[in-house]
Amino acid sequence: MEHVDRCVVLVDAGYLLGAAASLLAGEPARSRITVDHAALILGLRERAEADTEQPLLRIYWFDGAPDRVPQPEHRRLRVMPRVTVRLGALTRSDGRWAQKGVDAAMHAELTELARNRACSDVVLVTGDGDLLPGLMSAKEHGVAVHLWAVQAADGDYNQSEDLVAEADERRVLDRAWITKAVRAKDLGGICPPPPAPRPEIAAILSAPLPESALAASAERAAEAQAAAGRGGATTPPAEHGSDSHPGVAGAKGVPTPKDLASLRGPALAHPPAPHPPAPHSPGTPPTGATLRWSSDKGWVERPGAGTAGEPPETASLPTLAQLTSAEQRWADREEDITTVGGDPFEVGQVFARRWMERLPESSHVQKLSVMYPRVPHRIDGELLRYAARFGLLAHKDDQIDEHDRYAIRAGFWREIDVRAAAEHASVGPAAE
């Protein structure tokens, strides 16, 4: 059986983008570059067809991902024409990320293509010498192997010398070719100033705690002091919690979900004064008031509440799933894949926009806006499940990072606030 006259491109994304980052940004961190994946795939296709003088069968994109969960870029790539994404694991060791299984997957694909005579030419974009056996096997099956390198930042080789020696044809993707689809990020200096604390985080950390929480904290501090004394340590007693959060006014430690459940929600809508009032002063939230920044924790049932302790004012709010038709769900998926980048703040904004656009009554927006910073638990759970689709789950524990959760909800509230303000402005003159 003769080979089919067509070419296949196998891309080691870690090599291609890491070498491009080294060339353009001076270090191999992919976070230092911005990639136009559509332009990059088009460039690979055109270059492969020109170099091999054969039509393209397919581009295989090999990359690593935590727990092999597709990241936003993988979700965009795998729906592009003639592109197949193969994911290996991405693991962290000694503070650095490393791919596992990518080389083995490339070797298996290369060998299988050659054995089945699926193509006449294979283009390899890689520098790893572990692919040498696969390259030699492909040659033995009569496949022409083209090895492409990314221009090295120091002008030297960034590929295995054995791999270079065994390839039938060799090409270099130079700076001019790379910059058609990849550019270095402008970080505005080597050491950018740290971002200011989010007001939502500052409000929660600096909110006064109820008397019961203060008593529990004092008890924990006394126990810690006693334990330190038994061990011969001379640790000074803690005033209330710890000072592990510098930069937040009045921070006295991170409240537990039980502490948060005893706080009043509206109190966090505006950051408190630098010196919180005494526990028994009029400004202190009474015991039994509620705060539900994240309704996954600290939900408190109240007398007269609706089903499962949910207040009637939130029980009437529909979820996005209830407002979305099958056609809209399909369109949402397409938008997620092609245009939503996966930044946590952006994810929250997109979810909020869709929810508001499909509401049958605009009054729901005003009803929700006064609940800040609490997101009703049904909508909050749906929001976090939506965010998880973008690979925002933290490695190993299937939880979204705490700061990502804050950013997701902050994006959600930003869109709610913008719409609520616009509706209030349009109703105001008419009411007068």
Side-chain angles (χ1 to χ4, degrees), residues 83-143:
V83 177
T84 295
V85 175
R86 296 278 189 260
L87 294 179
L90 193 63
T91 59
R92 194 171 182 84
S93 177
D94 297 328
R96 301 184 65 180
W97 289 100
Q99 296 182 160
K100 299 293 183 182
V102 172
D103 297 335
M106 288 189 71
H107 178 277
E109 198 72 57
L110 175 58
T111 304
E112 195 70 14
L113 288 167
R115 182 184 297 118
N116 293 327
R117 300 179 180 271
C119 58
S120 58
D121 296 75
V122 168
V123 174
L124 292 178
V125 186
T126 185
D128 199 326
D130 290 346
L131 273 181
L132 182 61
L135 184 153
M136 297 176 68
S137 175
K139 290 173 62 177
E140 290 170 0
H141 283 89
V143 174

Side-chain angles (χ1 to χ4, degrees), residues 150-281:
V150 175
Q151 179 181 338
D154 56 5
D156 200 357
Y157 279 116
N158 55 13
Q159 290 178 306
S160 160
E161 185 175 340
D162 291 336
L163 209 62
V164 172
E166 284 292 333
D168 295 307
E169 301 284 348
R170 293 174 294 278
R171 295 287 185 274
V172 174
L173 304 176
D174 58 18
R175 181 186 293 268
W177 189 93
I178 292 292
T179 52
K180 292 178 181 178
V182 184
R183 63 179 178 83
K185 289 182 180 177
D186 181 10
L187 300 181
I190 298 177
C191 298
R198 292 191 182 95
E200 294 86 355
I201 299 176
I204 287 178
L205 294 181
S206 57
L209 296 179
E211 184 177 358
S212 60
L214 292 171
S217 177
E219 184 179 349
R220 290 194 298 268
E223 292 175 354
Q225 176 71 9
R230 287 193 298 271
T234 56
T235 305
E239 179 185 359
H240 164 51
S242 66
D243 294 327
S244 59
H245 295 271
V248 180
K252 297 293 185 180
V254 180
T256 67
K258 185 176 180 180
D259 297 333
L260 293 178
S262 302
L263 295 175
R264 184 185 315 168
L268 295 188
H270 306 286
H275 301 287
H280 295 289
S281 68

Side-chain angles (χ1 to χ4, degrees), residues 2-58:
E2 295 184 358
H3 289 95
V4 178
D5 290 334
R6 54 194 179 189
C7 67
V8 171
V9 181
L10 275 62
V11 180
D12 179 348
Y15 166 77
L16 173 59
L17 300 182
S22 294
L23 178 64
L24 303 180
E27 59 180 274
R30 287 160 64 169
S31 60
R32 295 292 307 277
I33 56 175
T34 299
V35 183
D36 182 343
H37 289 90
L40 182 57
I41 292 299
L42 179 61
L44 289 169
R45 177 172 186 166
E46 292 178 344
R47 180 71 176 262
E49 291 182 335
D51 281 7
T52 65
E53 299 181 349
Q54 303 294 348
L56 177 76
L57 170 63
R58 190 173 296 116

